Amino acid sequence: MTFSMIFVLSLLGVAILLFITEWLRVDIVALSVMLILAIFGFVTHHQAIAGFSNTAIITIASVLVLSAGLVRTGVAQILGGQILKLSGNSEIKLLIIMMLTVAALSGLMNNIAVAALMLPVVMEIARRTGTSPSKLLIPLAFASLFGGLTTLIATAPNILISTALETEGLEPFKLFDFAPVGVIAVGVGILYLVIWGRHILPDRDLGRATSITDILKGQYELNQRLLTMTLPADSPLANKNLSESRLGSALGFNVLAILRGEKTILAPGPDTQLRSQDKLLVEGWRDQVGTLHDWKTLSLKHGWLIGEHEPGQALKFAEFRIAANSVYIGKTFKEAGTRTSFNINILAVIEKNKVKVTRLRNYRFNKDDTLIVIGHEENLGTMAESRDFSDFEYLSPRKVALKYKLHRHVIGIQIPEDSTLVSRSISRSHLKSALDINVLGISRQGTIHFMPPAEEVLQAEDVLLVIGEPEILEILNCLQNLNLEQQTDTDLEHLESDEVGVAEITLSPRTSIIGQTVGELYFREKFGLSVLAIWRKDRAYRTNLRDFALEAGDALMVYGMREDLKQLQSEDDYLVISGLDQPIYKKEKIMVAAGIEIGVLFTVAMGWLPIYIAALAGAVLMVLTRCICMEEAYEAIEWRAIMLIAGMLSLGIAMHESGVTTMLANNLLESLEFFGPQGVLAGLFLITCLFAQVMPTAAVAVLMAPIAMITAADLGLSPHALAMVVVIGSSSSFLSPVGHPVNLLVMGIGGYRFTDYTKVGLPLVILFGLIAVFVLPLFWPLNL
């Protein structure tokens, strides 16, 4: 084995490991692989970037735009919805019609788009018929995978494998070359799920409903967490808005309604002002007040800018202006990373002569903003040298106090000896989020420890040097002594109106927010909506949701103004499952979009144009005829998949030129040659299928297609037959929720566990393997 082979194999192994573990995004992994191969000379520089001009890339991007046109005009959902209405109340009939509809649409569109479109339709029919969604959603996901086997444009692997044939000088697959085997696979898959699979599917009636009463009493069990509180006449919370009251950040309460005399304010927003004698209906956990009470009485220490507690000589104040070409413009504090990059703390932002010291978590820097910062002199000097900042000036503590009035906001909070905060780290104390403060340092035994790490453990009598509102401890004391009463559910129906309601949403297949917390997304601030609960796998989470990191497949129950709820429908990161009317489609363009799609299919089927030219022409026509706008076309393209494929194509070249592909193919031959051609088909299907459970299917196709080509050449078998085996194997992602985005899409909504996919999917994998070994050769003879 040569050094080149060892290097490429090692790189392949690392890439597969990263795909499985998801330590890095798949597109970053693929691009890194491409760059490593180019830099170290295992592929030429031209070969490294050749993937971006590959016809498969053009085809895939164009098909995604075509799918977006069909979605935006309502062709797919209106057609699918009308067909599904024919199912009546029969579960078997519903399953058959639903899966046939989804499979048929998946042959014409991207299957992920079809699953996302049909999910709300299927959920609505499940409610109408009283069928548990868990009986329908895995069949929905699997049917979209079945349909991916029927045409060339259905999935990216089909296009990539066809392109691989063309690259080898062979005739590529035509549009409907997949149909004979694909239609049989669709039929077998549907029959299995109807006859046997539906009995294996879990029957978890999660009680999805359309009213707030049913939601609160149903699977989320929120009615047990409804409390009321009345603000006394002298409450420090009076005349504060909800955001300033800290009811949400400190106690995790969601204020569902405010009863003010004869008036009821439903779904009050963050800026709704509280008044004395207001009665608040909140959703939360009574024990949270006890937890806050155990912090004991925190005392306030003033005089940190002027007086006895002035910072030492090592710390300096300075002001900077955001430069016109700064990379920080438009970024939040966390995104900018100024604290970690320069080891400084930002005390305030001056925007158009207005000083901002609180609620800065979601503030985005603007050109010419002035920052008031504190830090060590050498760190401030480094910041001054950066091109992202201008107009640097040191400030004296007195000037900071008098010019910007920050002496009121730079305060000390002393931790009493009997507080439960003692022996907790700063991060675990939740002080920062609860009180909306920024910890600048800790004064301990006369010494200030500037910018302590989040893991720093608090000690008795510590004084936290923070920036925040001076009345925050008064508010905290009020929260520690709230008088809460359990709320009966007799009037829950009044929590909804024509303007206010609930919706259930999930993360879309193309979401970019996985791993971020609800707080980091500023969900409440951005949409004005309260997240009441999060459903993950088979249970609901209702506590500390602000710090809850989202995962693919999560379902969120949100409550608020219907106008705010509608904003979610235009967000790429979320998919509204229930609670809202269907989005507005360009129905006047339905026939135009349908005509464009039919025209693309017809020209390709007749052989008048290659698929990449016809699809690109169709995509352009979708924009020219205003079925979608250019911005929607760009948004429709899954750039992560494009980068993944382009990067992995360079690895395919390196594997071929280094001899790795030939070696792997020969090893496959040596292992399976004894079993004859059928054994080779079985082995190729098994390897491809196993990879498809843990890797992006596009990457599987790029890696396995060359191995299939060489194996076919060495054994004198049909390369088209072996390529079709790779197609079937890469579409058999039935064993795990991570095998394909459509599986993750339905996981949270259906309340599925990981093992549900394995139990239902394993027989399907066996059936599809039998199709690949025994049925496929009837249409694609093995011998040349």
Side-chain angles (χ1 to χ4, degrees):
M1 187 180 294
T2 66
F3 172 75
S4 295
M5 296 173 71
I6 294 173
F7 187 93
V8 172
L9 273 174
S10 300
L11 192 60
L12 172 63
V14 171
I16 292 174
L17 177 65
L18 291 173
F19 284 144
I20 295 172
T21 60
E22 296 184 342
W23 290 337
L24 292 175
R25 287 169 48 125
V26 294
D27 48 351
I28 292 296
V29 173
L31 292 174
S32 299
V33 167
M34 178 190 74
L35 290 170
I36 290 171
L37 292 171
I39 291 170
F40 289 97
F42 291 95
V43 295
T44 66
H45 296 168
H46 176 75
Q47 288 172 326
I49 63 171
F52 291 101
S53 62
N54 191 287
T55 56
I57 295 288
I58 304 299
T59 306
I60 292 167
S62 301
V63 167
L64 290 171
V65 175
L66 284 169
S67 298
L70 297 177
V71 170
R72 187 69 182 88
T73 56
V75 172
Q77 192 165 36
I78 293 171
L79 177 63
Q82 292 300 318
I83 294 174
L84 285 178
K85 287 180 181 178
L86 302 174
S87 61
N89 295 319
S90 168
E91 182 181 336
I92 294 178
K93 189 176 179 182
L94 172 59
L95 267 178
I96 293 173
I97 293 178
M98 182 266 290
M99 287 190 287
L100 282 174
T101 302
V102 171
L105 289 173
S106 295
L108 303 176
M109 298 171 54
N110 176 267
N111 55 4
I112 300 175
V114 171
L117 269 175
M118 298 306 294
L119 182 55
V121 178
V122 171
M123 289 293 292
E124 178 60 33
I125 291 177
R127 279 190 291 271
R128 177 172 57 81
T129 60
T131 305
S132 171
S134 64
K135 287 289 188 182
L136 298 176
L137 296 185
I138 277 183
L140 165 67
F142 285 3
S144 71
L145 297 176
F146 301 161
L149 291 169
T150 55
T151 68
L152 174 62
I153 64 172
T155 65
N158 298 4
I159 297 168
L160 289 165
I161 291 166
S162 178
T163 303
L165 288 170
E166 190 174 17
T167 302
E168 294 295 321
L170 301 169
E171 184 179 356
F173 287 125
K174 296 183 177 64
L175 182 64
F176 294 112
D177 280 351
F178 299 81
V181 177
V183 169
I184 292 173
V186 170
V188 169
I190 292 176
L191 282 175
Y192 158 73
L193 286 169
V194 169
I195 296 173
W196 178 255
R198 68 188 179 94
H199 300 293
I200 307 174
L201 286 165
D203 186 8
R204 300 191 183 105
D205 186 2
L206 302 181
R208 262 52 183 203
T210 56
S211 72
I212 184 69
T213 304
D214 292 337
I215 289 297
L216 293 175
K217 291 181 178 179
Q219 78 276 16
Y220 291 101
E221 299 177 346
L222 293 174
N223 60 315
Q224 302 173 12
R225 299 163 51 87
L226 291 181
L227 307 166
T228 59
M229 52 176 285
T230 301
L231 300 185
D234 58 348
S235 174
L237 302 184
N239 300 318
K240 300 286 185 185
N241 62 37
L242 276 178
S243 178
E244 294 168 339
S245 74
R246 320 310 300 162
L247 284 166
S249 57
L251 294 173
F253 285 175
N254 283 309
V255 181
L256 304 182
I258 299 175
L259 284 66
R260 182 173 292 162
E262 299 297 322
K263 180 181 179 183
T264 299
I265 304 173
L266 296 178
D271 296 322
T272 301
Q273 193 173 59
L274 299 174
R275 297 181 185 175
S276 60
Q277 305 302 322
D278 276 352
K279 184 176 182 180
L280 278 59
L281 175 62
V282 302
E283 178 269 321
W285 202 246
R286 185 192 295 267
D287 291 349
Q288 291 293 102
V289 174
T291 301
L292 210 61
H293 190 272
D294 290 339
W295 287 8
K296 304 303 180 183
T297 303
L298 307 182
S299 55
L300 201 62
K301 302 291 184 182
H302 289 288
W304 287 96
L305 286 181
I306 303 175
E308 58 180 315
H309 302 300
E310 289 187 25
Q313 293 297 318
L315 299 180
K316 299 288 184 181
F317 294 95
E319 66 177 17
F320 296 85
R321 189 180 298 276
I322 300 289
N325 59 346
S326 174
V327 296
Y328 298 121
I329 293 175
K331 292 184 177 181
T332 64
F333 275 39
K334 182 175 182 179
E335 292 168 347
T338 51
R339 180 182 175 102
T340 53
S341 299
F342 299 105
N343 202 31
I344 55 92
N345 247 315
I346 297 177
L347 302 181
V349 177
I350 291 83
E351 180 193 24
K352 298 177 180 178
N353 296 322
K354 184 178 180 180
V355 180
K356 295 177 176 287
V357 295
T358 58
R359 301 183 69 180
L360 292 177
R361 292 183 61 198
N362 60 337
Y363 181 80
R364 295 189 179 275
F365 292 123
N366 300 301
K367 173 188 171 184
D368 293 332
D369 278 354
T370 297
L371 310 181
I372 309 301
V373 304
I374 183 173
H376 290 286
E377 188 170 0
E378 61 270 20
N379 297 327
L380 294 175
T382 302
M383 192 173 177
E385 294 173 358
S386 171
R387 296 180 179 179
D388 295 306
F389 305 100
S390 62
D391 299 342
F392 167 73
E393 180 185 352
Y394 281 118
L395 302 174
S396 67
R398 185 169 295 275
K399 186 173 183 180
V400 173
L402 298 179
K403 181 178 180 180
Y404 297 114
K405 311 299 182 185
L406 290 184
H407 61 289
R408 296 183 62 252
H409 299 281
V410 179
I411 56 180
I413 298 177
Q414 188 166 32
I415 310 295
E417 188 174 355
D418 57 347
S419 172
T420 55
L421 295 174
V422 175
S423 300
R424 288 189 186 179
S425 66
I426 294 176
S427 59
R428 288 187 60 245
S429 72
H430 300 296
L431 278 167
K432 294 175 66 175
S433 58
L435 304 182
D436 191 23
I437 57 176
N438 184 12
V439 178
L440 307 178
I442 298 178
S443 177
R444 181 177 295 160
Q445 298 176 354
T447 302
I448 296 180
H449 303 273
F450 182 65
M451 290 188 66
E455 299 77 23
E456 179 73 26
V457 175
L458 299 176
Q459 299 180 17
E461 307 304 327
D462 275 354
V463 177
L464 298 183
L465 176 61
V466 306
I467 184 163
E469 292 293 348
E471 63 268 26
I472 189 61
L473 293 189
E474 188 180 4
I475 293 174
L476 174 62
N477 182 62
C478 174
L479 298 179
Q480 290 173 322
N481 296 282
L482 287 177
N483 185 18
L484 300 171
E485 298 177 3
Q486 198 72 34
Q487 168 68 21
T488 61
D489 57 9
T490 53
D491 296 319
L492 294 183
E493 62 271 14
H494 297 308
L495 292 177
E496 279 194 298
S497 68
D498 291 340
E499 293 80 27
V500 177
V502 292
E504 193 170 24
I505 65 175
T506 189
L507 304 187
S508 73
R510 57 175 26 187
T511 186
S512 60
I513 62 175
I514 291 174
Q516 298 185 59
T517 67
V518 174
E520 289 171 343
L521 293 170
Y522 313 115
F523 192 90
R524 170 78 166 160
E525 293 86 349
K526 182 176 181 181
F527 298 110
L529 301 172
S530 297
V531 179
L532 300 182
I534 297 176
W535 188 274
R536 175 172 295 170
K537 297 178 182 177
D538 60 345
R539 63 164 293 189
Y541 296 85
R542 300 171 290 269
T543 305
N544 296 325
L545 297 183
R546 190 176 183 86
D547 300 320
F548 202 89
L550 298 177
E551 295 181 2
D554 285 348
L556 286 71
M557 181 57 59
V558 298
Y559 174 69
M561 302 297 293
R562 296 190 190 276
E563 285 300 317
D564 294 330
L565 290 170
K566 288 179 181 179
Q567 291 184 42
L568 294 172
Q569 291 182 322
S570 61
E571 291 284 324
D572 287 338
D573 290 315
Y574 307 99
L575 184 64
V576 179
I577 302 303
S578 63
L580 285 179
D581 297 330
Q582 298 300 328
I584 300 174
Y585 297 113
K586 293 183 177 180
K587 293 184 179 181
E588 71 279 6
K589 298 290 184 180
I590 283 181
M591 298 307 297
V592 176
I596 292 172
E597 178 75 8
I598 292 170
V600 170
L601 298 177
F602 186 75
T603 54
V604 174
M606 297 299 294
W608 295 344
L609 290 173
I611 180 66
Y612 52 90
I613 295 297
L616 182 58
V620 172
L621 283 174
M622 284 287 188
V623 176
L624 290 177
T625 56
R626 298 186 178 180
C627 293
I628 56 175
C629 65
M630 200 63 193
E631 287 73 19
E632 290 171 323
Y634 282 124
E635 290 173 359
I637 298 173
E638 182 52 72
W639 294 106
R640 183 181 304 192
I642 297 297
M643 297 298 131
L644 167 68
I645 294 167
M648 293 306 292
L649 285 172
S650 64
L651 180 58
I653 295 171
M655 290 174 63
H656 177 75
E657 295 196 349
S658 66
V660 167
T661 304
T662 303
M663 182 192 71
L664 294 177
N666 289 336
N667 288 339
L668 178 66
L669 288 177
E670 292 175 4
S671 303
L672 301 172
E673 193 172 13
F674 173 78
F675 299 99
Q678 261 72 27
V680 173
L681 293 185
L684 188 61
F685 170 82
L686 181 61
I687 295 171
T688 306
C689 177
L690 290 177
F691 274 142
Q693 309 309 317
V694 294
M695 287 175 57
T697 54
V700 174
V702 170
L703 294 177
M704 295 303 298
I707 295 175
M709 303 293 111
I710 292 178
T711 301
D714 289 348
L715 285 180
L717 301 177
S718 166
H720 292 83
L722 268 64
M724 194 62 73
V725 172
V726 175
V727 167
I728 298 173
S730 62
S731 290
S732 301
S733 306
F734 307 127
L735 297 179
S736 76
V738 299
H740 199 279
V742 295
N743 293 346
L744 280 174
L745 177 65
V746 302
M747 188 177 186
I749 297 298
Y752 295 122
R753 302 184 181 100
F754 190 101
T755 53
D756 292 329
Y757 292 87
T758 306
K759 287 189 292 187
V760 180
L762 184 57
L764 261 178
V765 168
I766 295 172
L767 288 172
F768 274 46
L770 293 174
I771 291 173
V773 174
F774 297 108
V775 177
L776 185 145
L778 300 178
F779 300 94
W780 297 92
L782 292 177
N783 296 317
L784 293 173

